Amino acid sequence: MAEDFPPYLDGLNESQLAAVVNTEGPVMIVAGAGSGKTRVLTYRIAHIIRRGADPFSILALTFTNKAAREMRDRIQKLVGTEAKSIWMGTFHSVFARMLRQEADKIGYPKDFTIYDTDDSKNLIKTILKEWNLDDKTYKPAAVLGRISMAKNSLIPAEKYIQAVELTAEDERANRSRFGELFVEYQKRLLKAGAMDFDDILVNTELLLRKHADVANKWQHRFKYVMVDEYQDTNMVQYYITRRLAAVHQNICVVGDDAQSIYSFRGATIQNILNFERDYPEVKVFRLEQNYRSTQTIVKAAGSVIKRNKEQLEKNVWTSNEAGEKIKVVRTVTDNEEGRWVAQHIFEEKTRNRLPNKAFAILYRTNAQSRSFEEALRKLGIDYKIYGGLSFYQRKEIKDLLAYLRLVINPNDEEAFKRIINYPARKIGNTTIDRLVILASENGTTLFHIACEARRYPVLGASGVALENFGLMMRSFQAMLKTHNAYDLALHISKQTGLMRLLFEDKTTEGVSRYENVVELLNGMKEFVEDDTSENEKGLAEFLQEVALYTDDRKDNDPNRDTVTLMTIHGSKGLEFPYVYVVGMEENLFPSQMALNSRQELEEERRLFYVAVTRAERRLMLTFASSRFRFGQLLPGEPSRFIDEIDRQFLDMEMTGQQRPAAMQQREERSNLFDSLQRKQGNAPVPPSRPAPPPIADPNFVEGDVSGLAAGMRVQHQRFGYGEVSSMEGEGENRKANIVFDNFGEKKLILRFAKLRIVEG
């Protein structure tokens, strides 16, 4: 087939070639994971130009500037500098360029300003202040998010205030003036000659719909319209592209419905699923050969995604080697999960002489990164968080840590300045500047001045708030000797109002920040309950450990060889030789918030499909049979997505010695672990003793273990029952080696261990 076409197309397979050379009429290219989608789109544009089309008549829309640059560079290598003339870029960049020529027709100047997110939030804050509205009820980020939702659903402000259902939602949320706020926000934008990001698309759609002459001009300008990642388009993008292609009908969309994972941003999978209905004469080309992954990974991914009902027909395959089975690893706790992954990376690096960049750890939520960061650091493995900050660098984490630092050290001026007005106490920057001057003049600290603030008239009305702050902090300091790190931090997070403030923010970012603080507290709980550590369990000791995690990691060095840590959403479009998909538990992945409908569950399954297909050579799935949540060690259940993989592709491994109760119940239902492979050398599990679930026993009472000796039977608050195999050390350093029924052998320091001697 390739013989009839120019030599530059020789490297394409049959399906890719067909997609490239069929340039006329509506075309849908269904591109499976790793099938060379970008290459096909690149060659298709180059082929159109080589056949004589004017590059100015080609519109190519992408979702990232990086994708646009990459395609333009590739096209330029094929056709030369003509590639510079293609209308190629992101939806926002291309349509902002169009609006510069037409904006006056909808009441904007042609040199309109584009407001970024911060500009938009500041405008909302200004209106809230002028209207005397509470910014805790009308959180600027939440307000902007709801405005964005309305715009991308093509609901302008004037229609919003007339929509009974929407205004009723606002009433229930105690934000009855939201509609008015939306209207005022749009008035201020227009008055300032400005558009926000959403307006660029909304106004383009409005322009094409309301002004036939403008629509006609651009419809004839663009003879070819191409859209990358079509499964990620929203309603506005759908209407714009459909209208622009209305004259020539040469519209080509490229995408994979199995990788539609951005509904929370407004993307609708129906755009790609209904494309054949929208264009009955469409030619459909399926890129089904995967060039990225092993046969095992490709077939495993296919066995999962086939369960979705809403999807386009395709059969992804590969001629690559079979490859190793997918390793599924169960660990006892989430912290052990972090240690297992880090150790496995260390061993694979050493054994196969691999760089750090060969490895990626993918998780469902940002809060999960903590245990993996800590484990990697302890093994000296460099890593980088992509698409976000390292756990201990996140604002909400640094805020709570600042409170903890100030409790330990009242002289810590940086910690003081960070939290003196967070949450807000009506202590502004002017007051803080006066505190600094007073502290300098009196040769003392900011905290000392705050505790005696009413002695200094220059502090004015803020004096009471400052002294109340000082009184609160001193009450925390008084608890240092009587409370462990976790109990004190939990008390501080509640008493300061920090947890309440985060909990009340229901935006996507707000929920993430709240989850991060909860995860910090979970880590502190694990810290104080770690019987294998000889460290004290106080706040100072915990902060000392944290300090080791927050050194300068030279994040700005682009040449660093690092393990990649990122959310699965952030990993789309990337690939790695070794991939670890972690936290594979029900209510975590799939998310508990995505189990209300089949559509939500199917998107979670597509997200899992994306995670699996990032792996080139090896894929590891890990989960914990118990996970700290809100200070409690709760049992976990393996994700249903593990069950959905054909068993022939799995290699099961358990790091504990006996399956937890949750897994045993799931095994009875699915027989998933029939062929479980146990590590050699594990001590046998006594069949006559039933294993308790791996959670702390609330009725447990510690006992006197001063007479503990080898051969005695004991109970531990968290690990359950076991037998002492040997003793070592003396006095405060006395340790017991205990073989637990449920968790194997542990070495515990008796002065920290929560144990009691039992009969038998």
Side-chain angles (χ1 to χ4, degrees):
M1 183 175 181
E3 294 176 0
D4 299 328
F5 297 99
Y8 66 87
L9 300 179
D10 287 349
L12 302 175
N13 66 35
E14 188 173 338
S15 298
Q16 291 173 334
L17 181 61
V20 166
V21 300
N22 283 277
T23 59
E24 307 305 302
V27 169
M28 178 166 66
I29 302 173
V30 183
S35 62
K37 169 181 69 69
T38 303
R39 188 180 192 209
V40 168
L41 196 51
T42 298
Y43 273 79
R44 194 172 198 277
I45 295 172
H47 187 62
I48 290 171
I49 294 174
R50 285 206 172 198
R51 291 181 61 213
D54 183 353
F56 285 98
S57 72
I58 299 172
L59 172 64
L61 299 167
T62 68
F63 273 85
T64 66
N65 289 312
K66 179 183 176 184
R69 284 194 302 269
E70 182 181 345
M71 279 199 289
R72 192 185 296 276
D73 289 345
R74 290 190 188 186
I75 295 168
Q76 190 164 334
K77 290 177 182 178
L78 292 170
V79 302
T81 57
E82 284 188 303
K84 296 179 183 292
S85 301
I86 302 168
W87 277 66
M88 176 182 285
T90 64
F91 282 86
H92 290 87
S93 65
V94 167
F95 296 134
R97 181 181 172 189
M98 183 189 297
L99 285 170
R100 293 290 179 200
Q101 300 183 34
E102 314 286 356
D104 59 313
K105 295 178 178 63
I106 54 174
Y108 285 86
K110 291 187 177 182
D111 58 349
F112 62 86
T113 300
I114 298 176
Y115 275 15
D116 63 18
T117 302
D118 286 339
D119 294 327
S120 296
K121 285 181 182 177
N122 288 335
L123 175 54
I124 291 168
K125 289 176 184 176
T126 299
I127 300 171
L128 292 175
K129 188 173 182 180
E130 290 176 6
W131 289 10
N132 199 28
L133 292 176
D134 183 7
D135 61 4
K136 301 296 184 294
T137 302
Y138 294 88
K139 291 185 172 65
V143 169
L144 186 60
R146 191 162 176 83
I147 289 174
S148 178
M149 176 277 296
K151 288 183 178 181
N152 284 297
S153 299
L154 289 177
I155 305 173
E158 58 272 17
K159 286 188 178 180
Y160 186 99
I161 57 177
Q162 297 171 4
V164 176
E165 186 177 334
L166 293 173
T167 54
E169 283 181 15
D170 292 333
E171 289 283 355
R172 289 193 294 271
N174 196 31
R175 52 170 185 256
S176 59
R177 299 192 67 185
F178 177 85
E180 297 174 68
L181 187 58
F182 187 4
V183 170
E184 183 66 19
Y185 171 75
Q186 285 305 120
K187 284 182 179 177
R188 299 281 182 102
L189 283 174
L190 185 59
K191 182 180 178 181
M195 299 185 196
D196 63 17
F197 285 142
D198 295 314
D199 284 332
I200 293 172
L201 300 185
V202 170
N203 286 334
T204 300
E205 193 277 335
L206 175 68
L207 189 67
L208 296 173
R209 176 163 46 88
K210 293 287 189 180
H211 298 270
D213 58 330
V214 175
N216 185 62
K217 168 186 172 181
W218 292 100
Q219 286 166 346
H220 283 84
R221 162 75 67 87
F222 296 130
K223 186 177 180 181
Y224 297 93
V225 177
M226 278 166 271
V227 186
D228 191 17
E229 303 286 7
Y230 191 65
Q231 76 280 350
D232 294 334
T233 53
N234 61 26
M235 185 185 297
V236 186
Q237 292 161 334
Y238 167 80
Y239 281 118
I240 293 173
T241 53
R242 185 169 169 79
R243 201 174 299 275
L244 284 173
V247 171
H248 296 291
Q249 294 283 300
N250 293 327
I251 181 170
C252 172
V253 300
V254 185
D256 182 7
D257 58 293
Q259 297 186 63
S260 178
I261 58 174
Y262 294 121
S263 65
F264 67 95
R265 294 181 185 168
T268 171
I269 192 174
Q270 298 305 318
N271 289 350
I272 193 168
L273 294 180
N274 294 336
F275 193 78
E276 291 178 84
R277 184 197 66 187
D278 292 339
Y279 298 92
E281 68 279 23
V282 65
K283 297 174 185 175
V284 180
F285 302 98
R286 291 177 170 83
L287 308 182
E288 298 175 315
Q289 183 174 359
N290 179 296
Y291 291 94
R292 175 189 300 157
S293 308
T294 64
Q295 292 180 30
T296 295
I297 292 169
V298 170
K299 290 177 180 178
S303 70
V304 173
I305 201 62
K306 70 180 182 182
R307 295 174 181 264
N308 274 8
K309 292 184 178 181
E310 289 191 315
Q311 61 176 305
L312 299 171
E313 181 185 348
K314 58 183 170 298
N315 179 33
V316 180
W317 60 278
T318 184
S319 60
N320 293 341
E321 63 179 1
E324 297 187 41
K325 288 186 175 183
I326 297 168
K327 185 179 285 291
V328 180
V329 179
R330 170 277 216 180
T331 61
V332 176
T333 67
D334 46 340
N335 269 23
E336 185 181 324
E337 181 185 35
R339 290 191 290 269
W340 186 91
V341 170
Q343 185 63 38
H344 193 265
I345 291 175
F346 181 83
E347 292 172 359
E348 291 295 322
K349 271 170 47 71
T350 305
R351 183 185 303 115
N352 299 311
R353 298 182 179 179
L354 296 169
N356 290 328
K357 65 183 179 182
F359 301 88
I361 302 172
L362 308 181
Y363 34 75
R364 181 64 179 82
T365 66
N366 275 308
Q368 292 171 252
S369 74
R370 179 191 59 83
S371 62
F372 302 99
E373 290 188 64
E374 294 180 4
L376 290 169
R377 285 175 183 263
K378 287 178 180 177
L379 290 178
I381 300 173
D382 201 6
Y383 68 86
K384 184 174 181 180
I385 303 281
Y386 282 79
L389 293 170
S390 175
F391 184 81
Y392 288 103
Q393 295 299 324
R394 294 166 192 165
K395 177 186 180 302
E396 60 276 11
I397 299 301
K398 296 180 84 169
D399 289 337
L400 181 51
L401 289 176
Y403 273 104
L404 305 184
R405 284 166 48 192
L406 196 63
V407 170
I408 295 295
N409 176 18
N411 298 331
D412 189 335
E413 294 198 353
E414 291 307 310
F416 179 93
K417 286 188 283 189
R418 185 179 188 93
I419 49 108
I420 182 61
N421 197 41
Y422 185 77
R425 301 182 180 89
K426 297 184 178 179
I427 300 172
N429 291 332
T430 301
T431 299
I432 295 172
D433 290 341
R434 289 169 180 168
L435 278 173
V436 171
I437 294 170
L438 287 169
S440 176
E441 290 175 348
N442 290 274
T444 187
T445 65
L446 298 179
F447 183 75
H448 179 80
I449 297 294
C451 291
E452 299 181 351
R454 280 182 286 187
R455 289 181 52 195
Y456 303 96
V458 69
L459 296 174
S462 299
V464 175
L466 286 166
E467 287 199 3
N468 286 339
F469 173 80
L471 188 63
M472 178 180 68
M473 295 304 298
R474 282 180 169 171
S475 73
F476 298 156
Q477 292 164 3
M479 298 170 66
L480 275 171
K481 293 183 179 180
T482 57
H483 290 67
N484 62 39
Y486 167 76
D487 290 335
L488 182 52
L490 181 62
H491 177 76
I492 291 171
S493 66
K494 291 178 178 179
Q495 289 298 114
T496 58
L498 187 61
M499 289 296 281
R500 188 188 318 111
L501 183 66
L502 294 172
F503 181 76
E504 289 173 350
D505 185 351
K506 299 303 182 183
T507 64
T508 302
E509 295 79 9
V511 171
S512 178
R513 286 192 286 268
Y514 178 75
E515 289 176 346
N516 288 337
V517 172
V518 169
E519 179 59 22
L520 175 63
L521 293 170
N522 290 340
M524 298 182 79
K525 183 72 168 179
E526 185 86 3
F527 170 79
V528 302
E529 293 195 354
D530 182 7
D531 297 338
T532 62
S533 170
E534 298 188 25
N535 292 333
E536 297 292 341
K537 308 302 180 184
L539 189 56
E541 287 73 28
F542 175 78
L543 290 176
Q544 180 176 309
E545 283 209 1
V546 169
L548 301 177
Y549 300 143
T550 53
D551 59 350
D552 178 15
R553 302 194 59 77
K554 301 177 182 177
D555 284 337
N556 293 324
D557 182 0
N559 299 315
R560 277 173 55 211
D561 177 31
T562 58
V563 172
T564 295
L565 275 70
M566 67 194 326
T567 63
I568 301 169
H569 279 102
S571 72
K572 187 167 171 290
L574 303 177
E575 55 192 50
F576 306 90
Y578 286 69
V579 170
Y580 300 79
V581 185
V582 300
M584 290 296 303
E585 297 145 40
E586 283 292 298
N587 298 324
L588 184 56
F589 194 22
S591 169
Q592 188 173 14
M593 294 186 291
L595 300 178
N596 300 314
S597 67
R598 179 172 60 81
Q599 288 77 14
E600 290 178 343
L601 178 60
E602 290 201 355
E603 177 150 336
E604 286 290 292
R605 189 176 285 115
R606 293 194 295 269
L607 187 59
F608 180 59
Y609 176 83
V610 167
V612 170
T613 54
R614 297 313 93 198
E616 298 173 347
R617 291 168 48 193
R618 294 287 309 279
L619 175 64
M620 279 63 62
L621 308 177
T622 68
F623 67 95
S625 59
S626 55
R627 185 175 292 272
F628 267 103
R629 290 183 181 175
F630 305 101
Q632 288 185 303
L633 192 65
L634 301 176
E637 183 180 2
S639 169
R640 69 187 70 190
F641 297 149
I642 299 177
D643 286 358
E644 293 175 359
I645 300 175
D646 285 351
R647 289 180 222 165
Q648 61 178 309
F649 304 126
L650 301 180
D651 172 19
M652 314 303 299
E653 177 177 325
M654 311 282 277
T655 62
Q657 290 199 310
Q658 182 166 337
R659 292 181 291 277
M663 179 173 282
Q664 291 184 52
Q665 294 165 6
R666 193 171 187 85
E667 183 179 353
E668 290 170 5
R669 295 197 301 271
S670 66
N671 292 320
L672 175 63
F673 293 90
D674 283 349
S675 59
L676 178 65
Q677 300 178 1
R678 291 190 178 273
K679 285 186 174 181
Q680 294 184 354
N682 279 354
V685 178
S688 60
R689 295 185 179 120
I695 58 176
D697 182 352
N699 299 316
F700 176 85
V701 178
E702 285 186 63
D704 179 12
V705 292
S706 58
L708 193 64
M712 287 186 174
R713 188 89 177 138
V714 295
Q715 182 190 8
H716 184 273
Q717 183 186 28
R718 188 156 56 97
F719 298 138
Y721 294 90
E723 187 172 303
V724 180
S725 60
S726 64
M727 302 291 299
E728 59 183 75
E730 294 183 0
E732 288 192 342
N733 296 321
R734 197 161 182 248
K735 302 174 185 176
N737 292 301
I738 305 171
V739 179
F740 288 99
D741 300 344
N742 201 31
F743 298 125
E745 187 168 3
K746 301 282 185 184
K747 180 180 289 188
L748 305 182
I749 302 167
L750 292 189
R751 67 189 172 111
F752 295 136
K754 296 176 176 62
L755 287 171
R756 72 179 184 90
I757 300 172
V758 299
E759 297 294 330

